[in-house]
């Protein structure tokens, strides 16, 4: 004991230090291993379909032909719907929390919005499938089609055509919007709160209204932070799995109508993994996962780079 | 005259935007209440003695419960915490204490932020290729590893942030009385940042205990009690997914019960963590 014990106590400082370095290094190793492992386990599909996998829209397990296009399309469309709804909503909610509401009200409302982020994805799925999708089918979709007459509208009519089933792209997009809303709102709130009071007060002093101060001063001042917030929300929406899987309908189909069933990369993985008996099927699914990994990695990379640049230019923590 | 109408228009726009922003906030809260109410209402109906003590039964047979899934979720989460908490904690220690201004530290910090945004289903897929494919069976430890990978960056980030809040004079006085650095970190810095660290850990545990996607390919599911860590393990979230998609009403009821249990736990831990933090800042 004694010799080893002596060695240990003498060098414990160095050992401890190297232990923390080792822990920190695991993060890098995991990240690198993710790419290597997924690429290696997708090798059959990569060899068979090559880069053309990305724009091939065939998905036929019976013939063992696979292409990612319908899944990528669904991922992008549902994410786009989510962002179109969530970003403007986040701006006005952040405005309400920072500028308009009484501090106590702001605290309560802000807490409630944050709580939306804590609800697990699968709960959104359950609620979406059993409560929200029927509501969409019975109320919202007929309202959009008939009362607003969007089905027959020129240009965008195609988007709102088809039978109102409740399940589909639009429902998935709305639920995604709800899920990324708290993340974007939180960052926007910080950005709004960071604008120096002097800047705002000088605008008020010139007789601006609250809304004018917000969109001409606060938003301009914090535009970079707002863009960073959107990136973060975008990254989250792209990879969201369970909630989307429950409500998107899971059909390998590309349809102009937002009411139609589709799929996303994540929902395809969640749904079909158990069925993948053939090696090429499994490898195609992992290839699909690799595509999603690269997509989210690039977006996160851009977001982090952006936020870092921002921190440097503003000199404060975001 | 023209000036007055201009002012009116501006004031009207302002009023409209005030109403819009208030309404948007209300819509957010409305959805929160809607979800909570739906899950609460449907979930309560599933709770009974069997739900917590019995094994699942085939559809149509009375008296099934999710005791094995409850135990499985607890086990996987605790196991994940055993791996993820020390790893994350010491990564955070490195970033805040040893690698604050180093290149390597910067790289790790950057990677951690990116890892936080990697979809959980990809983490599940990764662990599948790492721990399931080579051993040819789903297992509780694979599930725990996937959850640990999700926890790691969250805990590392909060640990770093919390240690950065500790004033430097505390470090200096510890070192000045001859303490080695590790001792200063473990018994002085950890202690003074205690509630912050605990909050980070609680939030990370809360987050992963509601995760489904990473468990689909790793722990999978099972209708039986587990016999060891190296086999498919029942857990609440994957059970919800399987049962909700099934055509059987009694299974759907169980899925609602499991949803309520998971949601109440996650939100409960979340609120607890936040109260802890608020006490600290006060």
């Amino acid at each position: 004991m004694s010799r080893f014990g002596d060695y240990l106590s003498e060098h414990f400082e160095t050992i401890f230090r190297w232990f923390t370095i080792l822990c920190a290094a695991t993060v890098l190793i995991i990240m690198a291993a993710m790419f290597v492992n997924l690429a290696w386990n997708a090798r059959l599909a990569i060899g068979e379909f090559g880069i053309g996998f990305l724009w091939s829209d065939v998905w036929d397990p019976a013939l063992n032909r696979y292409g990612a296009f319908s899944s990528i399309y669904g991922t992008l469309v549902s994410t786009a719907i989510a962002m179109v709804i969530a970003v403007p909503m986040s701006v006005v909610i952040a405005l309400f929390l920072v500028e308009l509401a009484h501090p106590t009200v702001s605290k309560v409302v802000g807490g409630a919005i944050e709580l939306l982020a804590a609800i697990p994805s699968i709960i959104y799925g359950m609620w979406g499938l059993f409560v929200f999708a029927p509501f969409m089918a019975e109320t919202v979709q007929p309202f959009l089609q008939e009362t607003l007459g969007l089905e027959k509208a020129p240009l965008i009519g195609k988007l709102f055509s088809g039978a109102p089933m409740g399940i589909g792209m639009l429902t998935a997009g709305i639920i995604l919007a709800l899920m990324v809303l708290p993340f974007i709102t939180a960052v926007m709130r910080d950005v709004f709160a960071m604008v120096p009071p002097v800047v705002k007060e000088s605008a008020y002093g010139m007789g601006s209204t609250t809304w004018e101060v917000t969109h001409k001063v606060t938003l301009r001042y914090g535009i970079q932070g707002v863009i960073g917030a959107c990136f973060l929300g975008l990254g989250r929406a792209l990879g969201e799995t369970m909630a989307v899987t429950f409500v998107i309908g899971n059909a390998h189909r590309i349809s102009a109508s937002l009411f139609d069933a589709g799929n996303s990369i994540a929902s395809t993985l969640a749904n079909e993994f158990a069925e993948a008996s053939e090696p090429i099927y499994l490898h195609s699914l992992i290839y699909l996962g690799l595509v999603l990994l690269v997509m989210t990695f690039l977006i996160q990379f851009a977001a982090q780079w952006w936020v870092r640049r921002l921190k440097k230019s503003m000199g404060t923590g975001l | 005259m023209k000036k007055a109408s201009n002012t009116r228009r501006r004031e009207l726009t302002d009023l409209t935007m005030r109403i819009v922003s208030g309404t948007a906030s209300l819509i957010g809260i409305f959805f929160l209440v809607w979800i909570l109410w739906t899950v609460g209402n449907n979930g309560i109906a599933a709770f009974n003695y069997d739900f917590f003590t019995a094994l699942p039964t085939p559809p149509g047979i009375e008296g099934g419960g999710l005791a094995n899934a409850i135990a499985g979720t607890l086990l996987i989460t605790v196991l994940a915490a055993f791996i993820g908490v020390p790893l994350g904690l010491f990564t955070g220690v490195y970033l805040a204490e040893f690698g604050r201004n180093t290149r390597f530290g910067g790289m790790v910090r950057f990677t951690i932020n990116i890892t936080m945004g990697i979809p959980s289903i990809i983490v599940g897929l990764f662990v599948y290729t790492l721990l399931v494919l080579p051993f040819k069976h789903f297992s509780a430890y694979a599930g725990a590893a996937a959850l640990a990978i999700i926890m790691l960056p969250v805990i590392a980030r909060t640990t770093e942030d919390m240690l950065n809040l500790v004033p430097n004079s505390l470090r200096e006085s510890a070192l000045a009385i001859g303490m080695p650095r590790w001792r200063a970190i473990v018994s002085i810095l950890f202690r003074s940042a205690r509630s912050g660290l605990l909050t980070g850990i609680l939030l990370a545990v809360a987050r992963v205990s509601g995760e489904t996607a990473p468990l689909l390919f790793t722990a999978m599911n099972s209708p039986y009690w587990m016999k060891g860590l190296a086999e498919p393990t029942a857990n609440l979230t994957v059970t919800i997914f399987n049962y909700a998609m099934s055509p059987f009403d009694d299974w759907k009821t169980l899925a609602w019960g499991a949803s309520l249990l998971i949601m109440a736990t996650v939100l409960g831990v979340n609120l607890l963590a936040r109260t802890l933090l608020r006490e600290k800042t006060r």
Side-chain angles (χ1 to χ4, degrees):
Chain A
M1 153 74 207
S2 68
R3 222 184 233 163
F4 180 68
D6 284 351
Y7 180 84
L8 203 67
S9 59
E10 203 174 311
H11 294 276
F12 195 76
E13 183 72 15
T14 324
I15 296 171
F16 182 81
R17 192 191 158 103
W18 277 100
F19 178 68
T20 64
I21 292 178
L22 199 72
C23 287
T26 47
V27 179
L28 300 178
I29 296 169
I30 288 171
M31 194 76 241
M34 254 184 217
F35 282 97
V36 174
N37 261 21
L38 292 195
W40 173 248
N41 286 289
R43 63 189 182 280
L44 292 180
I46 295 174
E48 178 83 18
F49 309 119
I51 193 81
F53 184 72
L54 294 180
W55 48 84
S56 153
D57 61 353
V58 193
W59 189 272
D60 193 344
L63 295 174
N64 271 328
R65 304 300 305 167
Y66 304 97
F69 192 68
S70 69
S71 300
I72 294 176
Y73 174 81
T75 305
L76 294 180
V77 170
S78 56
T79 304
I81 299 172
M83 297 307 284
V84 165
I85 300 171
V87 172
M89 249 183 108
S90 303
V91 173
V92 289
I93 291 178
L95 164 72
F96 177 78
L97 294 176
V98 178
E99 309 281 351
L100 300 177
H102 183 273
T104 320
V105 177
S106 165
K107 217 166 162 186
V108 174
V109 175
I113 301 285
E114 274 172 31
L115 222 50
L116 274 176
I119 295 177
S121 156
I122 189 130
I123 305 291
Y124 279 98
M126 285 291 283
W127 169 80
L129 179 65
F130 293 113
V131 181
F132 191 61
F135 172 74
M136 287 290 287
E138 284 155 22
T139 315
V140 179
Q141 293 179 341
F143 174 78
L144 290 174
Q145 281 186 333
E146 284 148 32
T147 317
L148 293 184
L150 286 176
E151 196 181 11
K152 295 188 183 65
L155 290 175
I156 57 164
K158 269 255 181 317
L159 291 177
F160 301 96
S161 62
M165 294 184 298
I167 280 174
M169 270 323 169
L170 185 63
T171 310
I174 294 176
I175 292 179
L176 270 181
L178 214 53
M179 297 180 74
V180 298
L181 179 79
F183 292 97
I184 307 181
T185 307
V187 184
M188 297 244 186
R189 196 167 134 185
D190 292 349
V191 170
F192 282 18
M194 247 168 50
V195 177
V198 176
V199 180
K200 281 192 249 174
E201 278 158 17
S202 47
Y204 280 122
M206 293 180 53
S208 304
T209 61
T210 310
W211 170 242
E212 282 166 349
V213 172
T214 302
H215 92 113
K216 289 189 177 147
V217 178
T218 312
L219 268 181
R220 296 263 162 99
Y221 192 92
I223 185 71
Q224 292 182 311
V226 170
I227 293 174
C230 296
F231 267 119
L232 291 180
L234 192 66
R236 289 214 160 252
L238 280 178
E240 184 45 58
T241 311
M242 297 321 293
V244 175
T245 307
F246 272 78
V247 297
I248 203 166
N250 303 308
H252 285 278
R253 184 167 23 152
I254 296 166
S255 163
S257 170
L258 299 180
F259 291 1
D260 263 347
N263 65 351
S264 74
I265 296 180
S267 78
T268 305
L269 284 172
N271 259 307
E272 300 189 17
F273 210 77
E275 297 159 18
S277 43
E278 302 269 328
I280 184 82
Y281 195 176
L282 182 66
H283 280 232
S284 298
L285 285 171
I286 296 177
Y287 194 4
L288 209 54
L290 184 65
V291 172
L292 180 62
L293 176 62
V294 172
M295 274 162 74
T296 45
F297 182 85
L298 289 178
I299 287 184
Q300 289 296 330
F301 195 90
Q304 291 311 323
W305 178 78
W306 185 266
V307 169
R308 208 147 89 155
R309 219 190 60 160
L310 189 67
K311 265 188 195 164
K312 260 184 207 151
S313 71
M314 293 184 111
T316 39
L318 228 182
Chain B
M1 209 38 213
K2 202 177 174 195
K3 206 170 185 186
S5 80
N6 191 25
T7 315
R8 260 195 81 99
R9 199 181 39 107
R10 286 173 50 208
E11 274 167 359
L12 214 66
T13 319
D14 188 54
L15 186 67
T16 318
M17 287 319 291
R18 278 166 188 261
I19 294 171
V20 166
S21 77
T23 317
S25 308
L26 275 181
I27 290 175
I29 294 176
F30 168 75
F31 274 107
L32 176 73
V33 173
W34 192 3
I35 294 170
L36 295 183
W37 191 81
T38 306
V39 176
N41 219 17
N42 287 303
I44 283 286
F47 281 178
N48 52 36
Y49 183 70
D50 281 340
F51 180 86
F52 294 100
T53 54
L55 284 178
T57 50
I61 295 174
E62 285 287 303
L66 294 176
N68 60 340
I70 297 172
T73 290
L74 272 176
L75 174 94
I76 293 172
T77 312
V78 169
L79 213 58
F82 266 109
I83 314 167
V85 170
L87 263 177
L89 203 63
F90 286 107
T91 304
V93 166
Y94 173 76
L95 291 176
E97 301 299 322
F98 298 116
R100 211 181 262 196
N101 293 316
T102 60
R103 256 190 92 122
F104 181 69
M107 239 165 80
V108 171
R109 199 173 291 118
F110 198 79
T111 315
I112 280 177
N113 287 340
I114 290 181
T115 318
M116 289 224 274
I118 297 294
S120 58
I121 193 158
I122 298 297
V123 175
L125 205 58
F126 166 62
V127 173
Y128 172 83
T129 63
L130 193 73
L131 292 176
V132 176
L133 264 186
F135 300 105
K136 302 203 165 40
H137 55 74
F138 298 97
S139 59
Y141 60 74
L147 296 188
I149 292 177
I150 297 170
M151 282 171 116
L152 201 174
V154 183
I155 295 180
R157 264 283 298 266
T158 39
T159 304
E160 192 198 355
D161 290 348
M162 291 304 148
L163 289 180
N164 278 341
L165 287 180
V166 178
N168 253 336
S169 54
L170 219 56
R171 284 185 188 87
E172 283 155 10
S173 30
L175 297 179
I177 58 168
M179 263 190 182
R181 273 197 95 161
W182 70 268
R183 194 67 212 270
I185 291 166
V186 173
S187 41
I188 307 283
L189 300 188
F190 275 3
R191 192 167 291 183
S192 90
R194 192 177 43 201
S195 59
L197 298 180
L198 199 61
T199 309
I201 292 169
L202 281 177
L203 285 177
V205 170
R207 191 187 150 191
V208 300
S209 60
E211 283 284 357
T212 314
L215 297 180
L216 280 176
F217 318 141
T218 52
M220 250 242 307
N221 204 354
S222 144
Y224 311 112
W225 286 107
M226 68 193 135
K227 292 180 206 69
L229 293 179
E231 56 180 274
T233 306
N235 59 84
L236 284 170
T237 44
V238 178
T239 304
I240 297 174
F241 181 51
N242 293 343
Y243 279 18
M245 295 297 190
S246 78
F248 313 112
D249 279 340
D250 45 350
W251 277 14
K252 282 181 188 160
T253 311
L254 283 180
W256 278 116
S259 302
L260 177 57
L261 194 57
I262 281 286
M263 193 180 80
T265 316
V266 172
L267 294 189
V269 175
N270 232 287
L271 291 176
L272 176 73
R274 264 188 236 175
T275 350
L276 265 175
L277 199 67
R278 201 165 307 143
E279 262 165 29
K280 158 90 181 173
T281 44
R282 187 182 299 158

